[in-house]
Every structure is written in C-alpha cells, then in structure tokens.
Amino acid sequence: MNILDRMKDVKNQRLYGFQDLWFSNGRNDPSLLHEKPAADLFRQGGVPAARIAFLRVFIDYGDGPRYAGLYTGVDVLDDTMIRNQFGEDVGNICKPESRFPSFTASPFERTARGHFRRAVPPALAGHHHRHRQLGQRRRHRPPSPTIAGRRPPRRRGTGAWRRVRRERILGHSLFLSMRPNPTRSMRPSLRLPFALGLLVCTVSPRLAAQSILSPGKAVAGNVAGKDTARFTLRADSNAVVRLRVEQRPANVALRLLGPKKSVVRAVNGSAKGYEALQVMTTEAGEYQLQVTAADSTGGAFAVTLLANERLSTDPRRLTDQLLAPWDRRDGPGAAVAVWRGGRTLFAKAYGMANLAYDIPFTVSTPTNIGSTSKQFTAFAVMLLVEEGKLSLDDDVRKHLPELRSFGQTVTVRHLLTHTSGYRELYNALVLTGRRIDEADYVGREEFIPLINRQPVLQSAPGAEFNYNNTAFGLAAMIVARASGMPFEEFMAERVFAPIGMTSTRIRADVRVPVPGATVGYSRNASGVWRDLGDLGGSMGAGGIYPTLADLQKWAEHLASPKVGSTASLTQMMTPYTLTDGKRTGYGFGLFIDTQNDQRRVHHGGADVSHRSMLALYPDLNAGITVQSNDGAFDSNIAFRLAQAFFPELAPKPPVVVAAFDAATYDPKQFDEFTGSYPLDAAPQFVLTFTRAGDTLYTQATGQMKLRLRPTSDTSFAVQGVPASVEFTRDAAKQVTGAVLVQGGARQKATRQTAAVVVAAPWRPTVAELNALSGRYFSEELETYWEFVVSDGKLVVKHRRTSDIPLTATTKDTFSGGAFTLTLERDRSGQAIGFYANATRSRDIRFARVR
C-alpha cells in the first residue's frame, strides 16, 4: 500500500496502526495548527518532536472533542539511516543538534532509540484501532502490541511514559506511540493520549517540520491538496543557490522565501520531469523552499540542493557558476563573450547546440539573436540615408505605397523608434488563434494586409513608445525597395562583409536551415525538450544568426565604424523624444540607459526558443554578449556578468544609514503614493498603487496584483518579482513620479495628475455570465471567439487553442491568457461586443453575432 492509498484509508477512518493526538487544553487553538511548527505543539504537551506519517488532531474544549485536521511530517529526533518508499537513503537529515538545539534526551527519546530496529518488510496487517466518534467516550483500548515478539518494557518511577508500541508499516519499523500515565484524578474525557507514528525521513506535510537541505543529497516528499512541504537551507549573502525538484509523479510549484520571508523566486514550469530554480542571494540567513501541489493530483517528489556556494570574485569562475544549469549533455546550452579595448577577455560555450545529433554549443556556433537584430536593420537604413536614397522623415508610403493612409504621416523615423502607432503583428495574431509560442508559420506577406485592416492608429505617430516588430519588418522592406536588393543580400554585401562578420547569416525563409546553427528548444508540460523552430516572417525584426566573434566585431564597429559614419551611429544611440517632450530611452534599434552610472547601450532578443543579449559600454570601450538556445534562459544575466568583468560597473558602497524596520512602517503613509503612474517610455503601461487595510499593492497593465514590502519610507520591494519601486517628489515635497527598478534598468513613470478612481472588484453572478454567452467576430482579424460558461466561469473557445478561462477584474473587464477584454454594451445594457487588448496590440473590436 503506497502513501496515497494510506491517506485514503486515513480519510475513510480505516486506520491501520494510526492514532490521534488529543488536546484538552483550550490554549491550543486549531487555527494555529496551520502556522505553528508541529514540534511546538508536542512541546506544549511535554512530548519531544518525532517524525510521524499521519496524525489526526482533535481538540477538546470541555464540550467534546473537535476534529482539527490531518497533519503529517513532524520531525524525528533520530539520525539513524533509513530509506523512503523509493528505496533511497534519506537518513541523517533529521538531526536534533541542528534542528532543535534546545532539546535534550528524554526518557521517550532514549526509549525510541533503544527499540529502533530494521524491520523485514511484512504484509501490512496492523491493528485496526477503534476510535470514538466525535463527542463520544472511547469504548475500546487498542490491544497492546509487542516489539520483536515481546512486550515493551514498562518504565517505572516518575517516568512519564508507560509503554512504547511499535508496528511494522510500509516495510519499515517504526510505529512509535507513547501514552502518558494519567493521574487517577483525571476524568476519562480529559486524559491526554498522544500518539506518534511512522519514522521516515520523507516529508508529506500540511503542517510539516522543515527539512534541512544538504548539497547533493535528495530528500523525498509528498504533497496533495493544499499541503505545503517546507525545506530550509542557510546561505550567505552574495551566494548562488541552485535547486532541482524531480516530479515523480507530482506536479509541483516552488517558492523560495528569503530570510525576511518575502518571495525571492517562484517557479512552476512543467507538469512532469523536473522543476529547477537558481537564485543569487542578497542577504545571509535561512531560506525556505516551499513545495506545493500544482494540481489536484499531488504525489511524490524529491528535492536536491545542487549548489549553495558563495559567488566567486573571479569573473571567469563566476560565469561558470551562473551558467552551470546549461553546462549539460542532455539539454540546450549557452555561450558568453566579453571584450574590452579590442581584446577578448573571455569566450566560452556550455551545453548542446543540437540534441538530435549530439552537437555541442561552441563559441563558433551561429545562433539566432532574435530582436538583437533590430540594430542591424536600423544601421542598414542609416547607410541608405547617407547615400540620399531615403530620408528618416520620409512618409513610409513613399516606399510602400500599398500601405493605407490613416490621415496622419508615419515616417521611417517612427518605424525605427517604435512610435508608428501600428499594431504589433505577433500580438495581434495571437488573438486569431495563431500559436506563436508553438512557432506557427507567419509570412512576411501578412504584414501589410494586417496593417491595412487596422481601423485607426493606436496612437498618433511619435506620441507613444510601443515596442513593435511590425515596424522593423516594414523597415526591412523599405531597405530592399530603396536599395534595389533583397534585404538579406544587402546586409551580406554592405554590412557583414565590410565589418568582417564572415560567419553571419540572415534566415530570410524560416524553412531554410542555417548551416551549423543552434536549434532552439523549449520544455513542454511533460518536461520534454522540443524543437519548435523559429518565428516566421521575422526578417528585419529578427532572424540574424551570428557567432560570438562576429558580434564582438559588430560591437567594435559601433565604437569605431568600418562602414558608415560616426554621426549615423551617434544618432542610433540617441534616445528618441516623444511629442510631449519625454525621452523613450530607445534610439534606432537600441536601448540607451546606465548601469551604475556608466552609459549602457544594449538590446535583447527572444525568438520562440532562442534568447540573446548584446550590451555595450561606450565609455569603457567594452561589451558583452550572452546567447542561448533555451527558451527559458534569462539573458539579463549579461548585466551581472558585465559587473564582474568591468570593475567600473560595481555598485557604489551604500550610504550607511540606520537600518529600516518594515514593522514600524505605518501603512497609512502609503496613501500619498496611491494612484496611477504610466511609464514615460511606454504610457500604455501603467503601474497602479493601492492599499487594502495594512496590505500594499501594485498592479501593472494586464498583470496580476502584487504585494509590496516597504524598504524605506519611499521605496518598496515587489514581492514575487525581482523588482522594486522608488517614489520621487518635487521641490514642494509633492509626490510626482516613481521609478521602476528591474533587470538593471531604471524606468521613470510620471504620476497622473487627474484624480484616478480605482475601480472596485467585479464579481458577476452566473446569470450575468450566462448573458455574455455567444459568438463574437472580429472583422479586423477575421476570426471568431465563442464565450461559454463552465463551472461558474466565463470561458473563451477557439478552434485552434485550448479553452481559456476568464477572470473578472473590474466592471465589464476580464483577463485571461495573454490578453484582457472590455465589454461593449448598448443603451439597454446588453453586451453587443468587446474590445480585446493583447499586450502591444489593443482595442481590437469583436462584435457579437449571436
């Protein structure tokens, strides 16, 4: 009988060798059982902690016992090597000196150790203990068991324990239950029987003691329902912690809490296989890994702490530490190159470029750099500007006359700065059921027809930054028209060859392979690596495959041009200014900001399963690039590595101030910050700050609400996300803006001056949802959506996607998947359609057709 079967037996009251823990003291509140360590509960009753498998807790307040729940996984004070149900050694993880240093050996503990024996796995035939029903007296005393064929010794004198009982369960010894010797004056209903069970160093807790993790040692556990398994480890500040959880077969979600109990990282990547988590710590202390069931099934899992070590001060060794998850033969890899003053400081590749043919990733492997390609397209435009073949202020329709007119001039400059007002192609196609995440084919021939079906521009040209692949696809078409050459040929002849980028290729057709290039991989829900291919139609916005060495040549060309002029490159690296005077932090195909006061020019890339980052530090004549063919790779790691290789990027020593105690912060002070703050560079992305009682929140456009933790009177950490927010004031001490700090960048947001009314949450009734059921059609996208109500929720159906449950947010607004929608009603209040927003493509109308 396995653990899950035994759980069912317990819930069905068919208890084999299991007993109940009874409290008859009103100070033991059942509500505390979910929060207090189980060891504390035993300590209250005078019982040392021990490992139990299943424990039903009852509390008697004098009016009869009340069931308080089924709990598992209380710690054991024994370091004997044992095995779990998987046959793995999991002993030596339950050591009293490290877990409960205040405990000393009690008569119980000595008795438990004295009678610990390895048992031969027997047929499960334990005693079927009878239990009184809630509110009834016990009618039967369980039969006295024996240990190794004889009765256990009686402890005489003042000892608290009268006998120790042992049974053999699941092939192990070791059902230990102790009963106190009650005084004669005790009424039967107030006796305090305590039962402890099954010694196994596995964890299956709802109220679990925290197992300590040791590097390289697997610890098994079980979760089901709302159980939370907790594991602890101590880490220094500035350390790397890497964990792996095998799901066998449980589908689990992970959360790592820091010493202050705030969420450091949360992971829920796949339903099968493994979950991996790696963090760089910023404070020393005890970290807690929480493992919960990600679905209703639950089951077994095993946690392994792969690394817990201080980050090296040697940048080369540090790179190895941080890229260790990709240094493997059974998964995709990564590559890094660092240079300064024309000299390569470091270049190394990890993992595999092609899993099907067992080809490793090397420093000379071409790889898809995704949107990092945009700067190359911008440079091609600038070469033609220098030759007088086009102007940045040309109406795009001069070169692409088939584009429709929107009554406002969209220029070439608007394309290169993401300020055109056109919809974002890939975001819009998601609303048609296209599986961009599955590399659905997209042809370049779709760009112009999609724009021409757009009823109006999303914003006036030059008024709003809206990152946009559509614009750079059009820019590549303009280069081809103005030069009279196919874009890929122009780039090879006019850009790559003069710079010496001899190994770089453009993938004009996604169906034509690039010789020797990496294959991009993403894990599916079963944890299996899949080759999904690359985005179609991305040329101009992406689609370039260089090697590390070629990217270094490109970066050095930007510092000292081999073709084109310095003036053109300077213009590319100058942030664009919107019509309202705000700067976007984006030039022509490049982001411009600072890292620890050093000027930084950079651009990342993300194709379906490729990730990229190229970062330049012009004042240092230095740069770094990081590439990967793993769709889950975080390319912002380049900024951390750059900090290690370039001392000038090291953070300045903090100004010593009195430590801020978050517990002293009055939540009412936060009221002066509440409101909406659109990002200056992307006004459609709004941060909203609210307070509910003592809880502080922020919510970004189209995203879930997140809690904030005060780190000073004006700064707050975003819980569950590696980001923080700082509020700013003007000379009159009025709050005027905020700064979002994330990924090494600081993004300014200006507070909306008009009073913003925070809409109340909307909880529609089933009848209100049923009134929305029907079929809706978008003339712009030529696609249907169907709304149905299932299990009390509104669900979107489309023939090319799985069902998408919608969650009501505010009145007439829903969110689900990667989009939000707002209902459109007629004068009578009937829903006649809705407007859908898919990140960078918004206000796409769907009309109700039935």
Side-chain angles (χ1 to χ4, degrees), residues 292-316:
T292 57
D295 56 29
S296 60
T297 304
F301 65 90
V303 181
T304 303
L305 177 61
L306 299 176
N308 180 9
E309 58 190 34
R310 287 190 62 83
L311 292 171
S312 176
T313 56
D314 177 357
R316 294 164 181 80

Side-chain angles (χ1 to χ4, degrees), residues 763-773 788-794:
R763 299 291 180 265
T765 64
V766 173
E768 289 177 306
L769 295 178
N770 285 330
L772 303 177
S773 297
V788 299
V789 177
S790 176
D791 295 329
K793 298 200 72 171
L794 194 63

Side-chain angles (χ1 to χ4, degrees), residues 111-157:
T111 302
R113 290 176 184 268
H115 292 287
F116 191 99
R117 298 283 190 275
R118 173 73 66 180
V120 177
L124 185 61
H127 296 291
H128 184 175
H129 290 189
R130 302 192 183 195
H131 296 272
R132 54 180 164 174
Q133 300 297 316
L134 297 186
Q136 297 179 358
R137 292 176 180 269
R138 182 190 297 251
R139 294 190 178 91
H140 300 278
R141 179 178 297 278
S144 297
T146 62
I147 299 178
R150 55 187 174 83
R151 291 187 179 278
R154 292 180 179 272
R155 301 197 62 81
R156 302 183 183 279

